[in-house]
C-alpha cells in the first residue's frame, strides 16, 4: 500500500473515530443528566476501572494496555466535563507530584485548583469550593505523610480512590553543587534523598517547604538554593536540573488519596480496600483483642499505624487498612464488634484495591 493510500485510510478512520467519540459524549451527557436528577456522584472510580479492564481484555494491539488506559483516561475526562464542571483541589503549586497524581485520576479536561497545604485541600473540599481533593498519603521510603493522617481525625471527608505514582526526584537550581548552601523541598522529598544529599551536599542546610514545587519556585531566583522536585516543575518554572534521579531507592512510589464529601459507590466485581481510624482503651491486651476481631473473620490487614490523638497525653489513634468493602457482611460484623469494644471507630473510606 502506498504512502498516500495509508494516509487516506487514516483520514477515513479519524472521521469514523470522531463520529463515534461524539456519539459517546452524547451518551455521557445523558448519563450526567440522570446522575444530576438522582443526585449521584459524577466520578465513580469503580465504573471507570471496569471500563479500562474491558478495554484491556479486548485489546489486540499494537497499542499497549498502558497506552489504551492513557487514551481513554482523556476520553473519560472529556466526557466528565460534558456532565459537570468539576474542580479538583490538590497540593500545589502547579507542577507538584500531587498534580501529576490528580491528572492520572481525572485527566486534563477538568478544572484544577492548587492549594498551599494539605489542610487547605481538606478545607476546599469540605466547604464545596472543590468537588474532590488529591493529597499525598505515604511513600515507600519515608512512610506516611503525617499531615494527611492527622487531618482525618476531625474531618468527615471520605477516601474514594488511591493513586500510585513512581517518584523520580531531581536536584533543581541555577548554581553548581559548590554554590549550593540550602536545599529546600517537602520533608518527605528530602527524606527520600537523604543518602544522596549526605554524600554530595554534606554542608548544605536542609529546609522544609509545603511542597516540592514551592521549593522550585524559590530556587528560580537564588543560585545558593537548590530544590528537590519533579522534572515537570523544573520545566514549568524554567529552572535547570542539576542532577536527575537523586532518590535513594530506585523503586520510590508515593500513594495518593482522592477525598470527597461523599463515599464512593460500590461497583460489583471489584476488589476493595478499607481504611478505618480507631481509639482503644489503654489497657493490657486491648490492641491484641482488637486485631483478633479481624483475624477470626480472615480479614487481611495491610497496614496498621499509630498516631498521637493530640487530645490527651499518651492517647493514640490507630489507622488500619484492610482488604474488603465497608458494605461486605464480614466487614460490617467486624466494625460492629469493634464499635462495642473500642473508644471510637471511624470509617475513612472504601476504595479500589
Amino acid at each position: 500500500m502506498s504512502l498516500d493510500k495509508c494516509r487516506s485510510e487514516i483520514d477515513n478512520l479519524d472521521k469514523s473515530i470522531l463520529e463515534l467519540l461524539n456519539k459517546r459524549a452524547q451518551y455521557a451527557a445523558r448519563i450526567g443528566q440522570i446522575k444530576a436528577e438522582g443526585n449521584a456522584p459524577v466520578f465513580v472510580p469503580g465504573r471507570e476501572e471496569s471500563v479500562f479492564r474491558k478495554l484491556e481484555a479486548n485489546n489486540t494491539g499494537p497499542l499497549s494496555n498502558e497506552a489504551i488506559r492513557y487514551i481513554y483516561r482523556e476520553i473519560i475526562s472529556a466526557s466528565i466535563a460534558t456532565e459537570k464542571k468539576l474542580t479538583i483541589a490538590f497540593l500545589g503549586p502547579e507542577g507538584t507530584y500531587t498534580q501529576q497524581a490528580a491528572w492520572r485520576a481525572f485527566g486534563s479536561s477538568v478544572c484544577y485548583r492548587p492549594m498551599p497545604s494539605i489542610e487547605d485541600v481538606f478545607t476546599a473540599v469540605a466547604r464545596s469550593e472543590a468537588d474532590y481533593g488529591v493529597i499525598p498519603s505515604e511513600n515507600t521510603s519515608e512512610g506516611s505523610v503525617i499531615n494527611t493522617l492527622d487531618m482525618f481525625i476531625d474531618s468527615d471527608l471520605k477516601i474514594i480512590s488511591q493513586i500510585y505514582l513512581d517518584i523520580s526526584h531531581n536536584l533543581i537550581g541555577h548554581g553548581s553543587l559548590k554554590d549550593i548552601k540550602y536545599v529546600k523541598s517537602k520533608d518527605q522529598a528530602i527524606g527520600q534523598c537523604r543518602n544522596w544529599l549526605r554524600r554530595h551536599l554534606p554542608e548544605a542546610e536542609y529546609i522544609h517547604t509545603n511542597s516540592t514545587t514551592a521549593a522550585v519556585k524559590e530556587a528560580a531566583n537564588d543560585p545558593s538554593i537548590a530544590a528537590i522536585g519533579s522534572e515537570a516543575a523544573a520545566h514549568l518554572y524554567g529552572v535547570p536540573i542539576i542532577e536527575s534521579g537523586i532518590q535513594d531507592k530506585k523503586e520510590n512510589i508515593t500513594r495518593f488519596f482522592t477525598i470527597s464529601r461523599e463515599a464512593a459507590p460500590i461497583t460489583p466485581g471489584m476488589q476493595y480496600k478499607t481504611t478505618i481510624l480507631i481509639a482503644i482503651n489503654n489497657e493490657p491486651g486491648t490492641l491484641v483483642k482488637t486485631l483478633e476481631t479481624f483475624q477470626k473473620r480472615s480479614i487481611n490487614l495491610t497496614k496498621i499505624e499509630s498516631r498521637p490523638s493530640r487530645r490527651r497525653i499518651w492517647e493514640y489513634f490507630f489507622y488500619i487498612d484492610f482488604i474488603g468493602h465497608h458494605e461486605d457482611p464480614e466487614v460490617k460484623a467486624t466494625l460492629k464488634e469493634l464499635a462495642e469494644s473500642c473508644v471510637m471507630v471511624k470509617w475513612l473510606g472504601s476504595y479500589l484495591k
Side-chain angles (χ1 to χ4, degrees), residues 210-240:
N210 280 340
S211 69
T212 55
T213 304
V216 174
K217 292 177 72 174
E218 292 189 42
N221 302 310
D222 189 342
S224 70
I225 297 174
I228 296 173
S230 69
E231 182 179 355
H235 290 317
L236 181 63
Y237 295 101
V239 189

Side-chain angles (χ1 to χ4, degrees), residues 88-108 110-115 121 134-136 163 165 167 211-213 230 232-233 236-237 256:
I88 314 302
F90 67 91
L91 177 62
E94 298 278 347
T96 58
Y97 293 108
T98 309
Q99 185 180 35
Q100 294 178 39
W103 280 336
R104 181 167 294 186
F106 292 95
S108 61
V110 300
C111 298
Y112 288 99
R113 183 177 178 185
M115 307 302 295
V121 176
V134 178
I135 48 173
I163 309 133
L165 190 69
I167 304 295
S211 69
T212 55
T213 304
S230 69
L236 181 63
Y237 295 101
F256 298 83

